[in-house]
Amino acid sequence: MKRCAVATTVLVVLIGSLAWAQDSTPKVQVFGGYSLMHTATGGLTGPLMDAALGQNYGTFGLRTNFNGWSGEAQYNAGRWFGIVADFGGRRGTFLTANVGGVSGLPKLTAYSFLVGPVLSYRTKSKLTPFVHALVGFDRSSLGATTITGLPTPASSAAVNYTDFAIALGGGLDYKLSRHFALRAAQVDYFHTSIDLNSFYGSAFGAELLQGLATHQRNLRASAGVVLQF
């Protein structure tokens, strides 16, 4: 009789645990929000760009922070493990002018697509921390333009470069309701492998832009809203 009671109790606990896990673990999650990418310059400096474009020393500076967006589609195979597809984009002018009246600075745009596993720590708490390891590609483009407002106008050609990318990081989701959560923070070490010698050399035709890095250690921070189904 006691054995039967114990077995029944264990069965009820297991069924309850499974039911709770199924109710609390969404099969599909969709994230969308803002991202900020801090990019490595790979040895490129403002004075190098001044020399390459034939301008006075101190004319140009470099921008390292780019605004963008981030999105993810995640399938959860279980309570802890899932597969995620990560999409992202960013844009801005990589050059800044230290003198007034300058226009036509070349615009840099980039898009990425990565996939990989994600591990989530789900409990009865509203907080769900997670980590992921993603691999894929990143495509950077520099638009053709003519920089004016300088003693000597400078031109750049359009350039596209697709490279291998890795994102290692994680974040924290805060559950608002059954179908909505807030991604309070997601931070990724974002590795790209752009040959900056080829990229900037093709854009500006400048032999001085050599000896630059062929890979970059960037940092991406994101936040937004998560839909859960």
Side-chain angles (χ1 to χ4, degrees), residues 4-68:
C4 182
V6 171
T8 302
T9 302
V10 171
L11 183 60
V12 169
V13 170
L14 287 175
I15 292 175
S17 299
L18 289 173
W20 177 83
Q22 290 174 353
D23 290 340
S24 63
T25 304
K27 277 295 182 183
V28 177
Q29 295 176 232
V30 179
F31 162 72
Y34 166 81
S35 72
L36 177 68
M37 181 80 84
H38 179 75
T39 59
T41 62
L44 186 66
T45 64
L48 270 179
M49 289 301 304
D50 294 336
L53 298 180
Q55 305 301 321
N56 295 326
Y57 181 87
T59 298
F60 292 116
L62 296 181
R63 188 185 307 278
T64 56
N65 294 325
F66 292 86
N67 294 311

Side-chain angles (χ1 to χ4, degrees), residues 10-187:
V10 171
L11 183 60
V12 169
V13 170
L14 287 175
I15 292 175
S17 299
L18 289 173
W20 177 83
Q22 290 174 353
D23 290 340
S24 63
T25 304
K27 277 295 182 183
V28 177
Q29 295 176 232
V30 179
F31 162 72
Y34 166 81
S35 72
L36 177 68
M37 181 80 84
H38 179 75
T39 59
T41 62
L44 186 66
T45 64
L48 270 179
M49 289 301 304
D50 294 336
L53 298 180
Q55 305 301 321
N56 295 326
Y57 181 87
T59 298
F60 292 116
L62 296 181
R63 188 185 307 278
T64 56
N65 294 325
F66 292 86
N67 294 311
W69 57 272
S70 182
E72 289 186 349
Q74 179 175 326
Y75 172 77
N76 295 313
R79 182 178 172 187
W80 311 108
F81 178 79
I83 298 293
V84 64
D86 181 285
F87 311 85
R90 58 193 184 276
R91 66 173 301 167
T93 56
F94 85 97
L95 281 179
T96 61
N98 297 324
V99 296
V102 175
S103 61
L105 295 173
K107 287 184 168 52
L108 176 71
T109 59
Y111 300 95
S112 61
F113 174 72
L114 306 97
V115 296
V118 56
L119 297 177
S120 303
Y121 181 68
R122 290 188 172 86
T123 64
K124 292 183 179 180
S125 170
K126 290 179 178 288
L127 298 175
T128 302
F130 64 89
V131 293
H132 56 211
L134 312 175
V135 297
F137 67 86
D138 183 86
R139 181 175 177 82
S140 298
S141 301
L142 200 61
T145 188
T146 298
I147 307 173
T148 58
L150 301 170
T152 304
S155 298
S156 69
V159 177
N160 297 305
Y161 197 100
T162 302
D163 63 289
F164 178 72
I166 299 173
L168 304 174
L172 183 68
D173 291 343
Y174 178 80
K175 185 177 181 180
L176 299 174
S177 66
R178 181 178 179 182
H179 295 297
F180 292 93
L182 177 67
R183 181 149 298 176
Q186 176 178 316
V187 179

Side-chain angles (χ1 to χ4, degrees), residues 174-204:
Y174 178 80
K175 185 177 181 180
L176 299 174
S177 66
R178 181 178 179 182
H179 295 297
F180 292 93
L182 177 67
R183 181 149 298 176
Q186 176 178 316
V187 179
D188 294 297
Y189 162 73
F190 199 97
H191 177 100
T192 53
S193 52
I194 304 174
D195 184 343
L196 296 181
N197 305 289
S198 174
F199 186 72
Y200 291 121
S202 298
F204 298 102

